[in-house]
Amino acid sequence: MVTGVNSYSHDFDLAGNFPNPASEVSNISYSLNVAASVKIEIMNMDGEIIQSLIQQEQTPGIYWIPVNTLGFQPGVYVYRFISNNFVDTGRLTIIKRKSFFKVVI
């Protein structure tokens, strides 16, 4: 259970996501300086959880979680990183995938 919200911690760092905006896949990057329980969720702008990406204990290190965005509608989403008493959020923008093929009749 999250008991507080911190905007800064020496133990955790949410580095963001790349590419942003994304059309197919974006990677959320974060690091842990201590072992911790990590939970990452994607929410729409109404605060509804669209997808839970991870919920597990992790050891110290640098991580990135791929997010397949093909099933998402174009728009802005928020991802929430929760670890121990640390909570941080980031913004993920999804753009329409461009078609590289032209149909000629």
Side-chain angles (χ1 to χ4, degrees), residues 12-28:
F12 312 103
D13 180 41
L14 180 62
N17 62 298
F18 58 92
N20 193 18
S23 64
E24 293 182 16
V25 174
S26 186
N27 295 285
I28 298 173

Side-chain angles (χ1 to χ4, degrees), residues 6-99:
N6 300 320
S7 60
Y8 180 76
S9 172
H10 290 288
D11 295 331
F12 312 103
D13 180 41
L14 180 62
N17 62 298
F18 58 92
N20 193 18
S23 64
E24 293 182 16
V25 174
S26 186
N27 295 285
I28 298 173
S29 178
Y30 61 95
S31 62
L32 307 173
N33 289 329
V34 296
S37 175
V38 173
K39 182 177 184 178
I40 301 176
E41 303 167 320
I42 305 237
M43 300 175 294
N44 63 21
M45 295 308 287
D46 293 329
E48 299 169 319
I49 296 171
I50 302 299
Q51 186 177 30
S52 290
L53 299 175
I54 189 171
Q55 185 171 356
Q56 68 182 40
E57 293 289 324
Q58 292 186 317
T59 58
I62 298 171
Y63 296 87
W64 67 91
I65 302 294
V67 181
N68 181 344
T69 63
L70 290 176
F72 289 65
Q73 292 296 319
V76 178
Y77 296 83
V78 173
Y79 54 91
R80 178 171 51 190
F81 172 89
I82 303 168
S83 189
N84 294 353
N85 290 333
F86 179 77
V87 177
D88 202 356
T89 60
R91 185 177 358 174
L92 168 61
T93 303
I94 311 261
I95 57 176
K96 186 175 181 180
R97 194 170 100 179
K98 295 180 182 179
S99 176

